[in-house]
């Protein structure tokens, strides 16, 4: 028999507890496992689970998709893009009125309308029973940028999501260069190509996103309008309001980058195995707070409820606490 591959299992990152009313003891009710890696310019700093786990980063790659599209625009069009345009084009938004207005503004640059969007109809995040519209889809800003880049290429709307057609060939080429190759190309929830990469490659890419001049305008847009990149009250908006660059991805993915006190960049990338966003948010906050990247209390995960009141806690696992104390704790 040949050698067996070594498989590193997901580690427990986040625990949920429920409190005993008589004693106050916090009993473990649920736990979320996953993979997490922290990187510097020199390489991997710390990890839990498997830093080489192959994941679909989903929407956390939007800054790099947007970069590919910006590179296809003529100078005059690119210069005319506002910071709002440059925030919404890498957003996973909540479908609020400010998001609809920003997507409409980006479409105007392409001479397009909401009916030209290539993402499926959806509802606002806070109104899942409302009428569905493509402009309300959380990826509509990305698709508006696809429309703008497609107009620059002179290609038809029905080719914009085709992985073999010119636009997505340019985007996939950018992603392959950024991540050091792609493991697979599937289809995302919005219909665009969804790539698979190793987790550490996402963290390394975010180091570059936070430091390289080619990403400067996207950084400026996100920092100027953090709520456009996610939504009111969401973890991403709170984190981005501190200057940290952060981007969520579906199915429990998050990536972020920040500068340490000595001016060196760090980045974290994580994937929750069961896809739960509540635990991805909590894990991100734990890493950023411990690193001194954000002040304590920047964003608090919603607590387990009992009768409409807090009845437990959501907290980093023992392994997470050990990791941050050993490698990340800000003194």
């Amino acid at each position: 028999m040949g050698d067996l591959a070594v498989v590193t299992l997901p580690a427990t990152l986040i625990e949920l507890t429920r409190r005993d009313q008589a004693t106050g003891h916090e009993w473990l009710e649920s736990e979320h496992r996953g993979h997490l890696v922290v990187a510097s310019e020199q390489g991997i700093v710390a990890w839990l689970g498997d830093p080489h786990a192959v994941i679909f980063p989903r929407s956390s790659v939007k800054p790099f998709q947007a970069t590919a599209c910006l590179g296809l625009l003529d100078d005059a069009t690119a210069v005319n893009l506002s910071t709002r345009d440059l925030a919404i084009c890498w957003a996973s938004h909540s479908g609020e009125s400010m998001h609809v207005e920003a997507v409409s503004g980006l479409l105007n640059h392409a001479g397009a309308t909401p009916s030209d969007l290539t993402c499926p109809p959806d509802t606002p995040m806070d109104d899942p029973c409302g009428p569905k519209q493509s402009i309300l889809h959380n990826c509509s800003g990305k698709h508006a940028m696809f429309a703008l880049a497609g107009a620059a290429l002179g290609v038809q709307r029905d080719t914009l999501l085709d992985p073999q057609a010119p636009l997505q060939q340019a985007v996939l080429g950018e992603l392959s260069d950024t991540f050091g190759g792609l493991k697979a190309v599937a289809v995302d929830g919005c219909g665009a190509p969804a790539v698979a990469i190793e987790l550490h490659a996402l963290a390394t890419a975010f180091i570059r996103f936070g430091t390289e001049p080619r990403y400067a305008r996207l950084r400026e847009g996100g920092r100027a309008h953090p709520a456009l990149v996610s939504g009111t009250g969401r973890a991403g908006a709170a984190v981005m309001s501190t200057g940290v660059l952060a981007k969520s991805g579906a199915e429990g993915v998050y990536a972020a980058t920040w500068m340490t006190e000595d001016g060196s960049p760090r980045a974290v990338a994580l994937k929750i195995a069961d896809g739960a966003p509540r635990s991805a948010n909590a894990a991100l906050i734990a890493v950023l707070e411990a690193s001194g990247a954000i002040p304590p209390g920047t964003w608090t995960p919603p607590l387990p409820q009992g009768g409409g009141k807090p009845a437990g806690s959501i907290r980093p696992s023992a392994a997470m606490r050990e990791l941050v104390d050993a490698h990340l704790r800000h003194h």
Side-chain angles (χ1 to χ4, degrees):
M1 294 180 63
D3 294 337
L4 295 176
V6 176
V7 177
T8 303
L9 296 175
T12 300
L13 301 181
I14 296 296
E15 299 173 340
L16 274 79
T17 71
R18 195 158 292 272
R19 189 177 306 113
D20 186 300
Q21 287 189 299
T23 66
H25 178 73
E26 301 275 349
W27 290 91
L28 180 65
E29 181 172 29
S30 303
E31 60 182 17
H32 296 287
R33 297 176 178 269
H35 306 285
L36 181 149
V37 59
V38 178
S40 71
E41 288 182 305
Q42 286 70 46
I44 294 174
V45 172
W47 72 92
L48 287 171
D50 185 358
H52 300 283
V54 175
I55 68 160
F56 285 100
R58 304 291 293 273
S59 286
S60 62
V61 305
K62 283 179 177 175
F64 310 107
Q65 292 171 310
T67 298
C69 291
L70 283 172
L72 298 172
L73 306 181
D74 62 74
D75 291 344
T77 301
V79 166
N80 283 334
L81 296 180
S82 68
T83 54
R84 288 172 59 83
D85 297 324
L86 293 163
I88 200 66
C89 73
W90 58 284
S92 295
H93 64 73
S94 301
E96 301 167 55
S97 59
M98 63 177 173
H99 299 123
V100 172
E101 292 169 6
V103 174
S104 296
L106 186 53
L107 283 168
N108 285 340
H109 289 285
T113 69
S115 64
D116 296 310
L117 288 167
T118 45
C119 51
D122 205 351
T123 60
M125 188 171 288
D126 64 355
D127 185 15
C129 296
K132 292 185 175 184
Q133 302 177 57
S134 292
I135 202 167
L136 297 175
H137 194 286
N138 79 89
C139 296
S140 63
K142 176 179 73 176
H143 286 256
M145 181 57 93
F146 286 166
L148 183 58
L153 288 174
V155 299
Q156 298 298 312
R157 176 183 180 275
D158 60 5
T159 72
L160 293 181
L161 303 184
D162 183 347
Q164 302 303 321
L167 175 60
Q168 293 305 324
Q169 281 288 291
V171 173
L172 291 171
E174 174 78 24
L175 297 183
S176 183
D177 290 345
T178 299
F179 299 119
L182 306 176
K183 300 295 184 180
V185 178
V187 183
D188 213 326
C190 65
V195 299
I197 60 172
E198 291 191 5
L199 182 65
H200 71 90
L202 181 59
T204 300
F206 262 72
I207 291 280
R208 296 198 295 274
F209 179 48
T211 58
E212 292 185 358
R214 68 194 304 249
Y215 302 114
R217 295 192 68 204
L218 290 176
R219 293 196 297 266
E220 179 187 10
R223 286 173 171 148
H225 308 283
L228 279 183
V229 180
S230 56
T232 304
R234 290 170 62 186
V239 165
M240 292 263 290
S241 69
T242 71
V244 172
L245 296 166
K247 187 69 197 72
S248 62
E251 295 298 320
V253 176
Y254 236 121
T257 186
W258 67 98
M259 289 290 179
T260 62
E261 282 189 344
D262 65 6
S264 60
R266 290 284 188 276
V268 61
L270 63 94
K271 162 66 181 177
I272 302 298
D274 64 10
R278 69 177 178 184
S279 49
N281 291 338
L284 176 76
I285 296 298
V287 168
L288 295 179
E289 284 190 356
S291 302
I294 61 173
T298 295
W299 188 82
T300 303
L303 298 176
Q305 297 290 297
K309 298 179 180 179
S313 65
I314 179 168
R315 66 191 187 190
S317 67
M320 272 280 284
R321 294 194 297 271
E322 290 173 6
L323 177 136
V324 298
D325 285 341
H327 299 284
L328 305 175
R329 181 64 65 191
H330 173 70
H331 297 290

